[in-house]
């Protein structure tokens, strides 16, 4: 309880100065003529947004680890949520070296799952951000939802995935991604990926990371 409250307090205290940094960076970016200083202002804004995401991930991860967050399992139209998230990504802007697409099985347009809307959205955001951060040279990102063959009678299975055609991962990195979490120990690196695994666990979804074909990385989430 103390640990979670401390992290929440730090997150709250950082919010105000971070908002000031973001506001000034955005103002400078718009007023400065194209050139080195404008690029520096853009970099400040980008890194400040990264800090905000990291703090938010830390806060949510801590609450999930200790069961303190106010999460609710409600009926969520997963296809609508995926489309909404894709619009958010495009509205925020994505560097020109990246392309992104959404592929939804037409039979799943009205698929309803039980879950927390905010957490599922965070899971998608982190996986897309992960593809961007680890492929600075650019890549194509594909978010998809498809039906799987029935493994057990009378039980339906669906696959949600986020894939890229970037540089992939080494065997050591894949082992780390697949390793079980220690809830009492927050990761020093890869907090976004840890939170993805926590959110999947909260929803009782099975998750795995593997190499994409012919290149890149894919995260498969079995619903």
């Amino acid at each position: 309880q103390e640990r979670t409250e401390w992290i929440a307090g730090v997150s709250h205290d950082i919010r105000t100065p971070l908002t000031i940094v973001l506001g000034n960076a955005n103002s400078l970016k718009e007023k400065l003529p194209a050139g080195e200083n404008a690029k520096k202002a853009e970099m400040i804004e980008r890194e400040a947004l990264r800090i905000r995401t990291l703090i938010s991930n830390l806060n949510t991860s801590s609450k999930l680890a200790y069961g303190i967050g106010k999460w609710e399992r409600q009926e969520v139209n997963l296809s609508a949520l995926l489309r909404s998230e894709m619009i958010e990504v495009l509205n925020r802007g994505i560097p020109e070296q990246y392309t992104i697409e959404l592929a939804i099985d037409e039979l799943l347009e009205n698929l309803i799952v039980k879950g927390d809307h905010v957490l599922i959205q965070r899971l998608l955001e982190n996986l897309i951000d992960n593809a961007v951060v680890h492929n600075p040279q650019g890549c194509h990102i594909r978010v998809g939802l498809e039906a799987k063959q029935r493994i057990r009678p009378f039980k339906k299975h669906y696959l949600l995935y986020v894939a890229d055609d970037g540089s992939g991962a080494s065997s050591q990195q894949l082992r780390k991604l697949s390793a079980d979490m220690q809830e009492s120990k927050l990761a020093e690196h890869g907090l976004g990926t840890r939170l993805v695994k926590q959110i999947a666990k909260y929803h009782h979804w099975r998750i795995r990371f593997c190499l994409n074909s012919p290149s890149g990385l894919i995260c498969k989430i079995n619903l």
Side-chain angles (χ1 to χ4, degrees):
Q1 179 75 26
E2 287 179 358
R3 180 176 183 170
T4 304
E5 288 178 357
W6 180 82
I7 291 173
V10 171
S11 302
H12 182 270
D13 290 345
I14 286 176
R15 195 174 302 157
T16 299
L18 199 55
T19 300
I20 294 171
V21 171
L22 279 167
N24 281 282
N26 184 61
S27 178
L28 285 170
K29 187 180 69 172
E30 291 178 351
K31 291 178 181 178
L32 289 169
E36 194 62 32
N37 287 331
K39 287 182 179 178
K40 287 179 179 179
E42 188 175 342
M43 182 182 69
I44 291 169
E45 183 184 42
R46 185 173 62 249
E47 294 304 314
L49 286 170
R50 279 190 65 195
I51 292 171
R52 188 169 70 182
T53 299
L54 286 168
I55 290 296
S56 181
N57 281 344
L58 178 61
N59 203 12
T60 305
S61 178
S62 177
K63 288 178 179 178
L64 278 171
Y66 299 105
I68 293 174
K70 295 179 181 178
W71 319 116
E72 295 181 4
R73 286 190 177 89
Q74 299 177 331
E75 290 190 347
V76 176
N77 184 316
L78 190 54
S79 297
L81 189 151
L82 290 173
R83 294 187 191 284
S84 175
E85 177 58 25
M86 195 62 58
I87 291 170
E88 281 293 318
V89 171
L90 294 173
N91 285 343
R92 285 198 304 266
I94 189 167
E96 60 183 15
Q97 66 266 37
Y98 301 94
T99 54
I100 189 165
E101 70 167 314
L102 178 63
I104 299 176
D105 187 321
E106 60 181 15
L107 297 176
L108 305 181
E109 284 293 345
N110 295 308
L111 177 64
I112 302 296
V113 297
K114 282 279 190 178
D116 185 276
H117 184 278
V118 174
L119 288 180
I120 298 172
Q121 195 171 28
R122 178 61 60 80
L123 176 146
L124 291 165
E125 287 175 1
N126 283 3
L127 287 175
I128 293 170
D129 286 346
N130 190 63
V132 171
V133 169
H134 292 285
N135 294 290
Q137 76 285 355
C139 67
H140 179 69
I141 303 167
R142 181 182 174 96
V143 180
L145 178 64
E146 60 187 43
K148 292 189 68 180
Q149 290 184 345
R150 292 187 180 184
I151 301 172
R152 299 174 186 171
F154 313 113
K155 256 203 161 179
K156 295 179 180 179
H157 293 261
Y158 307 98
L159 177 66
L160 171 64
Y161 65 88
V162 177
D164 66 69
D165 62 357
S167 56
S170 66
S171 56
Q172 183 180 6
Q173 288 171 325
L174 283 175
R175 281 196 298 272
K176 286 184 178 180
L177 287 170
S178 302
D180 292 334
M181 295 180 300
Q182 295 182 28
E183 294 287 13
S184 61
K185 184 179 180 182
L186 285 174
E188 293 179 12
H189 305 287
L191 186 58
T193 305
R194 172 191 169 89
L195 182 54
V196 165
K197 292 161 78 173
Q198 285 179 296
I199 293 171
K201 182 179 179 182
Y202 172 84
H203 289 92
H204 307 293
W205 296 342
R206 288 182 293 117
I207 184 170
R208 63 192 177 105
F209 293 85
C210 48
L211 295 178
N212 196 17
S213 179
S215 64
L217 188 71
I218 181 169
C219 175
K220 297 180 178 181
I221 304 167
N222 290 312
L223 314 181

